[in-house]
Amino acid sequence: MSKPVAERQPRLESAVEAPVKSRGLMAAAIALLALFTIADIGSRGVIVSILYAVPLVVLVRAGYANSLRWVTVALVVAVYAVYFLKWALYSAGSPAAQTPFDFHLVNRTFVVLTICMLEVLLKLRMSTASLSADVEIPESMRREEEETDETLAVLLGVAFAAGIALADFFSPANYYFAILYIVPLFFCAWTRSRRLLWGGWGLTMVLTVLGFVCGPPATAMHPHMAHLILNRMLAGLALTLLAVLLHFQIGHRLPPGDRPAMSRWSDSRRPSSTTA
């Protein structure tokens, strides 16, 4: 008597966990990673690896979420490897740079923290989306869980943004806490509200500029003001590109009878007519 139930469970799991993979998006993610890595190696004093968050989201959208952990590990290794390679190429032997262990390495660590937190949040978002897509969960319970998740996402997003802003406002301009604004921006997308997403983008962009303008000046060891400005611009570019990607990840809220088998966060099979 238990056989039909046992047979039904694998079918449900298969419907939820088997996304259609897009080789085109996968190739685009790899191309972006290669492009950003090459640009990072060739740019002196600039942290192009800030942009690694973009192909990470593209990779998930392509349906290769199972490779997310390994890609994250590879990106962490690349961030530090490129830094020490650049130090050897551009700074070794210079009287002004006797050691690579300075604020440049701290900024690289900010990038690594952002990548790791984004990986965790992407995995968590796909997990909650899969549970929400379970056809056996009553609609009332599904809506209650979604509202709870969205409220928690807003609270966490505000808390993260406030903490990052305080750290950025009270630290020298050559410490790029603004890199971490990617995390609260992702929380804005978790609410599935495009209005809140772009509101969060606008707020983080303003905070990125204000942290540079109103915060303490750079320490004396930083030789180039242009590098400070370029890194802030790259942080703003990463926020903008990520906001655009997340905008298209957010699907319309559907009535109960029209809810698809799986969220766009982990499946690319929803017809294009359901997106804006």
Side-chain angles (χ1 to χ4, degrees):
M1 296 298 294
S2 60
K3 185 176 181 180
V5 177
E7 291 177 349
R8 182 177 58 181
Q9 185 65 23
R11 288 198 296 269
L12 286 174
E13 293 178 353
S14 176
V16 171
E17 297 179 359
V20 174
K21 296 181 178 180
S22 171
R23 295 185 180 274
L25 286 176
M26 179 63 173
I30 295 175
L32 286 174
L33 288 173
L35 176 64
F36 295 156
T37 301
I38 294 173
D40 198 15
I41 295 174
S43 57
R44 185 173 183 176
V46 180
I47 310 176
V48 183
S49 56
I50 296 172
L51 300 173
Y52 278 159
V54 176
L56 203 61
V57 174
V58 174
L59 181 72
V60 174
R61 183 62 183 85
Y64 290 84
N66 292 334
S67 304
L68 192 60
R69 177 61 55 84
W70 297 109
V71 173
T72 300
V73 172
L75 290 180
V76 170
V77 173
V79 169
Y80 286 122
V82 168
Y83 169 70
F84 286 105
L85 175 62
K86 290 173 67 173
W87 182 85
L89 291 175
Y90 302 125
S91 302
S94 173
Q98 296 298 327
T99 175
F101 301 99
D102 56 12
F103 69 92
H104 294 95
L105 186 59
V106 174
N107 290 329
R108 290 278 166 170
T109 302
F110 291 157
V111 175
V112 167
L113 286 175
T114 301
I115 292 172
C116 292
M117 286 191 287
L118 185 60
E119 186 263 342
V120 171
L121 290 174
L122 284 168
K123 285 284 190 180
L124 185 60
R125 184 66 185 95
M126 288 185 295
S127 176
T128 56
S130 298
L131 291 175
S132 179
D134 191 341
V135 295
E136 294 186 347
I137 297 179
E139 184 62 25
S140 59
M141 183 180 298
R142 191 197 318 273
R143 289 183 178 179
E144 183 178 351
E145 290 180 353
E146 289 176 351
E147 290 175 358
T148 302
D149 289 345
E150 292 168 8
T151 301
L152 183 60
V154 171
L155 294 176
L156 289 174
V158 170
F160 266 87
I164 296 167
L166 285 174
D168 197 23
F169 279 28
F170 289 99
S171 62
N174 49 304
Y175 288 88
Y176 308 123
F177 282 93
I179 296 169
L180 298 168
Y181 282 130
I182 288 174
V183 176
L185 184 65
F186 186 87
F187 278 121
C188 291
W190 196 307
T191 65
R192 298 182 302 173
S193 169
R194 291 188 173 117
R195 181 177 299 178
L196 185 58
L197 170 65
W198 287 105
W201 170 83
L203 177 61
T204 54
M205 290 291 285
V206 170
L207 291 175
T208 298
V209 175
L210 290 179
F212 177 72
V213 175
C214 302
T219 54
M221 68 179 69
H222 201 291
H224 300 295
M225 179 62 68
H227 293 166
L228 299 175
I229 298 175
L230 282 174
N231 282 315
R232 291 279 171 167
M233 292 177 63
L234 282 173
L237 178 61
L239 288 169
T240 302
L241 293 176
L242 190 61
V244 172
L245 288 174
L246 294 176
H247 173 93
F248 290 104
Q249 290 283 60
I250 299 174
H252 291 303
R253 291 178 180 272
L254 300 177
D258 297 331
R259 187 179 297 273
M262 190 173 182
S263 169
R264 284 184 61 88
W265 286 99
S266 48
D267 196 353
S268 59
R269 290 176 292 179
R270 182 181 295 183
S272 59
S273 61
T274 62
T275 61

